[in-house]
Amino acid sequence: QVQLVESGGGLVQPGGSLRLSCAASGSIFRVNAMGWYRQAPGKERELVATITSGGSPNYGDSVKGRFTISRDNAKNTVYLQMNSLKPEDTAVYYCLARLSTYTYWGQGTQVTVSS
C-alpha cells in the first residue's frame, strides 16, 4: 500500500506562486506515476499534472506553461510548482499515486487564489 501526505496549500494573490508537496511512503517501488488532480466547487475533477516513474510529465491544458511537476526520488516526494496563479486555479488539489491496478489518493489541500 501507498500513503500520501500533502502540504503547501494556502491563500495567494493572483499572479503569485505556491509549491505543493506530496510525500509517499509504502510500496513506492510499485508506483507507475504520481501527480495531481484538482476539483473546484461545482466543477468536475480535472487533471493538473502527472509524472511517470521515468520522469515523463503530462499536464492539463489549463496549466501548461504555468505549472511544473517534478519529483525527488531520494525523498519519495512529488512537487507541483504553481506560478502565475489565477482565481480559476482555486480548488482542492489531490495528490495521486498510480499503480498498475490501483490508484491511491491523498486527502487534498486547498489552494485559494484571491485578492
Side-chain angles (χ1 to χ4, degrees):
Q1 296 187 359
V2 175
Q3 292 178 304
L4 304 173
V5 179
E6 300 151 321
S7 63
L11 175 65
V12 66
Q13 291 183 312
S17 298
L18 284 174
R19 189 171 84 154
L20 305 183
S21 299
C22 178
S25 61
S27 300
I28 302 170
F29 183 78
R30 300 182 179 182
V31 173
N32 295 324
M34 295 184 66
W36 301 86
Y37 277 67
R38 69 186 183 186
Q39 188 165 26
K43 296 183 64 177
E44 185 177 295
R45 182 179 289 191
E46 67 174 347
L47 168 71
V48 178
T50 60
I51 186 166
T52 68
S53 59
S56 298
N58 185 46
Y59 295 95
D61 289 339
S62 63
V63 307
K64 288 180 179 178
R66 299 188 298 120
F67 292 8
T68 303
I69 190 169
S70 62
R71 64 189 181 97
D72 185 336
N73 290 336
K75 296 182 178 180
N76 300 317
T77 300
V78 64
Y79 303 96
L80 184 69
Q81 180 66 46
M82 304 185 293
N83 298 325
S84 302
L85 283 162
K86 305 174 181 179
E88 50 263 44
D89 294 318
T90 296
V92 177
Y93 286 68
Y94 296 92
C95 181
L96 68 90
R98 183 173 295 132
L99 282 67
S100 61
T101 60
Y102 194 79
T103 299
Y104 293 89
W105 294 92
Q107 66 182 93
T109 184
Q110 177 71 46
V111 172
T112 302
V113 184
S114 177
S115 60

